[in-house]
Structure formats: structure tokens, C-alpha cells
């Protein structure tokens, strides 16, 4: 790949020209990386609900034309000035949030919310010069969350790139760069169930099932899945879920149902829907004295969390998490190793595959609620 370093690369990208319209395969020009940037050849990407949400552009600032995509894996093609940790040929995961390693958040053992590189959905340009690295006939095509992986080549800030074991299969570990790590980390890093404890998971999409996988890996004795869609229950058994509750089947609040099932409440709960009522239920269903509830789902902007303060005074704990509390550069390589040593199973998350030329099918699957993750094979 060294032959292309320092030059503009022409390649295929799936461009979103306007909100909600099918992506269009275009030839784009990808500029070389500038200082502290890396140009990556994307080999595999997958579609996450966040891509669809911003592609629909309902209720947030629309930025178009844009190249979406943020769950991916690839190989470094070239690096910009000042990049010392990465070199051409390295196997990497680009990540929608970053780790500059210099700010107070990065220096804190307790945070992964980097001041410089935390997610910014409105920004469509690179930090270095406030310009895009993508163009068609000289006109800029905007970036998405600093990654834009629906392109055969992309340019990413070095702080948003995790270097991983080159033996790891890129078509499997690509799903770790967003949703799966978010759910997994919510359980392993934040809820931290002890062996033999009970865990309730609200929402059995990809993130919720990753949270269930974390509970399974922790040795939880009971993993209770809560979802309004009973079709998800069979799939969830593969992820260690042992019991199911559909709130629609009960006349009383679901937190009361769970408390009755568990002799006073579960030890841990993880909320992965973003529905405000599910968040309240997830908190109120944990046992007094030691119960911990973790919020993962992103609420609507006008939502307010309401619960009686006695629920807290009775020694329940409410926590929130972002990207499963993983620091992207520091922690993701070890998550890949959990897959490599067979602690973590990833194959079951990938339910569909399409060639890059048929990327719009991946959007159709997600809009239909079919499956968990659709793998998109680049170069096809």
C-alpha cells in the first residue's frame, strides 16, 4: 500500500445525498491523512442503529452529503505527521469516540469520555483543519462521527483507532467497534455482576444481547430478558438469557413482576432501549441493599427520569455508561483477545451479510427489525 501514501486515493463510497434516501455508490477522492490522522482501507463494516437514526435525520441537525458508517475493521494504508503508534499494515478498528491520552478524562481510570475526541454527531469535518478528507469533483462530502466507514478508504484521527491482534478475523471483530462493546462493557465494567447473581436485560436488540453475553461470561445464574417483541426470545437463548418477560402480558408494572420472580428484585439490571419508562423499571426492579441498575439506551431530549428518592435511600445504585466504559485505544485490544480465547462469542451477532454494492439491503433489514448485525463486505 506504500505506493499510495501521500496521494489522493479514488475509491468507491456509499454516499448519502439526502435524508432517508437510498445511499448511492459514487467514486470519491480521499485525501491523504494530515497531522495525527490515519488513512485506513476498510475491509468490513456493519450497520448500527445510530447510522440509520442520523440518515433519517428526524429531530437533529442534518449534515449532507455524508458518508455514514462507524462499525468497521480494516488495515492502515498510511499515517500522517506525528503518528507514532500506528504504521501501514496494522490491523485496526476505527471507533466513533476517541482517546487522546492527554485530557483529564483520558488520564482518569474512571472515565472514557475524552474531551478532544468524544462523539460529535454534528461535526462533518476533521479537527485538524475543519475540512473534509472526502470530495467528489472538488466538492466536500462530509464525515460522520469521525469514522465514515461506508467508503473503501477513510481518514480517522489517530485517537479513534484501536490497533488489534493481526490474527483476529476482521469480518468478526468489526462488530466490536460500537454496539457489541457498548452492551458487553455495560455489564462487565459497570454492572459487574458476581458469579451466581441475577441480571435483568431490558431490550433484546444487538446491544441488549451483548449485555446478556456479558452476564453469561460473568457466570450469572439467571438472566431475565425483557422485550415487547416475543420473536426475540428464541434468539436470546443463544446469549444466555434464561427467562423472558413481555410487559404487555402483565397488568402490573414490569418492575413488580420481576421483583416477584426474584424474591425482591434482581441483583443487576441493564437498560438498552432508551425508553424512559424502561429506564425507570430497570432501576426499580433491582434489589434493595445491593442492587445496581445501568442505563445504556439514549433517551429523547425532553425525557425526565422520575423515581421516589426512597428507592435510592434503600441502597439501590443507578449508573450510566457510554461505550461500555471502554477506553477505545487502551481497552478494545483486550476485548478482541476475549474473542480470540473463546470467552466471548461474536458469530451469533452477525445474522446477515451483503456485498458493499448492496448496502441498501442492510438498511432494509434494520428498518424491518430483521436480525442483529448485517456485515457489509467491502470490495464486492
Amino acid at each position: 500500500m506504500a505506493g499510495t501514501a501521500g496521494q489522493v486515493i479514488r475509491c468507491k463510497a456509499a454516499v448519502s445525498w439526502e435524508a432517508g434516501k437510498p445511499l448511492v455508490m459514487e467514486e470519491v477522492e480521499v485525501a491523504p491523512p494530515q497531522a495525527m490522522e490515519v488513512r485506513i482501507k476498510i475491509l468490513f463494516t456493519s450497520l448500527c442503529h445510530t447510522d440509520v437514526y442520523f440518515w433519517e435525520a428526524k429531530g437533529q441537525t442534518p449534515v449532507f452529503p455524508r458518508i455514514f458508517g462507524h462499525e468497521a475493521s480494516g488495515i492502515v494504508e498510511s499515517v500522517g505527521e506525528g503518528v507514532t503508534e500506528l504504521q501501514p499494515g496494522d490491523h485496526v478498528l476505527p471507533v466513533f469516540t476517541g482517546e487522546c491520552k492527554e485530557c483529564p478524562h483520558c488520564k482518569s481510570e474512571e472515565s472514557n469520555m475524552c474531551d478532544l475526541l468524544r462523539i460529535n454527531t454534528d461535526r462533518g469535518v476533521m479537527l485538524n483543519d475543519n475540512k473534509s478528507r472526502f470530495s467528489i469533483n472538488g466538492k466536500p462530502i462530509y464525515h460522520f462521527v469521525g469514522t465514515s466507514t461506508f467508503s473503501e478508504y477513510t481518514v480517522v484521527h489517530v485517537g479513534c483507532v484501536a490497533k488489534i491482534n493481526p490474527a483476529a478475523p476482521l469480518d468478526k471483530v468489526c462488530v466490536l467497534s460500537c454496539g457489541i462493546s457498548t452492551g458487553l462493557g455495560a455489564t462487565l465494567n459497570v454492572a459487574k455482576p458476581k458469579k451466581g447473581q441475577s441480571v435483568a436485560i431490558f431490550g433484546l436488540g444487538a446491544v441488549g444481547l451483548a449485555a446478556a453475553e456479558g452476564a453469561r461470561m460473568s457466570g450469572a445464574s439467571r438472566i431475565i430478558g425483557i422485550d415487547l417483541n416475543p420473536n426475540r426470545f428464541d434468539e436470546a437463548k443463544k446469549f444466555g438469557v434464561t427467562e423472558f418477560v413481555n410487559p404487555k402480558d402483565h397488568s402490573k408494572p414490569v418492575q413488580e413482576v420481576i421483583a416477584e420472580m426474584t424474591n425482591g428484585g434482581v441483583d443487576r439490571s441493564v437498560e438498552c432501549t432508551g425508553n424512559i419508562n424502561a429506564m425507570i423499571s430497570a432501576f426499580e426492579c433491582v434489589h434493595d441493599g445491593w442492587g445496581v441498575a445501568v442505563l445504556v439506551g439514549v433517551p429523547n431530549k425532553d425525557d425526565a427520569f422520575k423515581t421516589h428518592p426512597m428507592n435510592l435511600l434503600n441502597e439501590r445504585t443507578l449508573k450510566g455508561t457510554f461505550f461500555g466504559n471502554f477506553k477505545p485505544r487502551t481497552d478494545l485490544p483486550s476485548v478482541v483477545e476475549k474473542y480470540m480465547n473463546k470467552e466471548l462469542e461474536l458469530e451469533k451477532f452477525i445474522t446477515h451479510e451483503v456485498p458493499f454494492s448492496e448496502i441498501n439491503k442492510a438498511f432494509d433489514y434494520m428498518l424491518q427489525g430483521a436480525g442483529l448485525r448485517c456485515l457489509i463486505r467491502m470490495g464486492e
Side-chain angles (χ1 to χ4, degrees):
M1 292 191 206
T4 50
Q7 298 173 23
V8 170
I9 289 179
R10 286 181 176 77
C11 69
K12 273 193 211 148
V15 176
S16 179
W17 289 99
E18 54 183 308
K21 294 286 167 67
L23 308 190
V24 181
M25 276 299 160
E26 304 279 8
E27 184 178 81
V28 297
E29 296 188 340
V30 185
Q34 294 198 9
M36 303 311 287
E37 295 174 0
V38 182
R39 188 160 59 183
I40 302 167
K41 181 178 187 177
I42 299 292
L43 295 181
F44 299 95
T45 186
S46 48
L47 182 65
C48 168
H49 191 263
T50 307
D51 295 304
V52 175
Y53 181 75
F54 285 92
W55 165 75
E56 290 178 326
K58 294 172 184 170
Q60 71 292 93
T61 315
V63 181
F64 294 96
R66 200 170 208 182
I67 296 171
F68 286 103
H70 64 283
E71 257 187 17
S73 59
I75 296 176
V76 174
E77 173 269 339
S78 61
V79 301
E81 182 191 333
V83 175
T84 55
E85 288 185 28
L86 294 167
Q87 56 191 34
D90 283 345
H91 287 215
V92 295
L93 303 177
V95 188
F96 65 91
T97 186
E99 182 185 353
C100 72
K101 299 196 173 179
E102 300 294 328
C103 72
H105 282 276
C106 286
K107 287 183 172 171
S108 162
E109 287 179 12
E110 298 179 52
S111 176
N112 65 342
M113 299 183 70
C114 176
D115 282 329
L116 181 69
L117 299 168
R118 84 171 61 166
I119 186 171
N120 182 328
T121 55
D122 292 339
R123 190 170 60 228
V125 293
M126 298 301 285
L127 283 172
N128 187 302
D129 59 358
N130 287 319
K131 289 181 179 167
S132 172
R133 301 289 172 264
F134 299 108
S135 60
I136 296 178
N137 299 327
K139 293 195 173 133
I141 309 292
Y142 295 107
H143 295 252
F144 177 63
V145 295
T147 51
S148 292
T149 61
F150 296 165
S151 172
E152 291 175 328
Y153 287 86
T154 188
V155 176
V156 180
H157 190 285
V158 67
C160 300
V161 181
K163 179 182 174 179
I164 61 165
N165 182 343
L170 293 174
D171 59 339
K172 304 295 186 293
V173 296
C174 70
V175 297
L176 288 174
S177 66
C178 177
I180 309 310
S181 293
T182 296
L184 186 72
T187 303
L188 295 181
N189 299 334
V190 189
K192 296 182 180 170
K194 298 180 176 78
K195 192 170 184 191
Q197 286 191 320
S198 57
V199 181
I201 308 288
F202 286 74
L204 299 175
V207 175
L209 291 175
E213 178 78 354
R216 180 191 71 74
M217 290 164 64
S218 300
S221 59
R222 296 175 72 181
I223 304 174
I224 302 168
I226 300 100
D227 203 293
L228 296 169
N229 180 356
N231 298 334
R232 288 180 157 176
F233 292 165
D234 259 0
E235 184 90 51
K237 289 175 187 166
K238 297 179 198 166
F239 299 83
V241 177
T242 55
E243 297 156 77
F244 302 99
V245 177
N246 185 338
K248 287 195 283 198
D249 295 343
H250 301 272
S251 53
K252 60 178 83 164
V254 73
Q255 53 267 48
E256 291 179 25
V257 175
I258 294 168
E260 284 173 14
M261 289 169 65
T262 55
N263 195 23
V266 288
D267 301 305
R268 303 287 186 262
S269 72
V270 185
E271 197 293 318
C272 302
T273 71
N275 175 289
I276 191 65
N277 294 317
M279 292 182 182
I280 295 164
S281 298
F283 174 58
E284 294 183 353
C285 82
V286 300
H287 206 289
D288 59 3
W290 61 79
V292 179
V294 178
L295 305 186
V296 181
V298 179
N300 292 324
K301 65 178 193 308
D302 299 328
D303 283 339
F305 186 97
K306 291 178 184 167
T307 192
H308 197 282
M310 281 311 297
N311 290 323
L312 287 154
L313 294 172
N314 287 336
E315 299 176 8
R316 292 177 185 88
T317 301
L318 179 64
K319 293 184 169 188
T321 177
F322 168 70
F323 192 51
N325 281 36
F326 286 120
K327 291 180 186 274
R329 290 205 275 180
T330 301
D331 297 332
L332 278 191
S334 62
V335 182
V336 169
E337 292 312 309
K338 284 186 197 296
Y339 168 73
M340 295 298 280
N341 64 28
K342 301 194 164 40
E343 274 181 83
L344 165 65
E345 298 167 12
L346 291 178
E347 285 81 358
K348 58 195 177 186
F349 287 99
I350 301 165
T351 51
H352 296 80
E353 289 191 28
V354 295
F356 189 35
S357 57
E358 295 175 22
I359 190 171
N360 287 305
K361 270 193 190 167
F363 280 76
D364 295 340
Y365 291 138
M366 185 158 281
L367 293 168
Q368 291 157 14
L372 297 173
R373 279 292 183 265
C374 180
L375 183 74
I376 299 156
R377 298 185 303 270
M378 307 302 282
E380 290 185 37

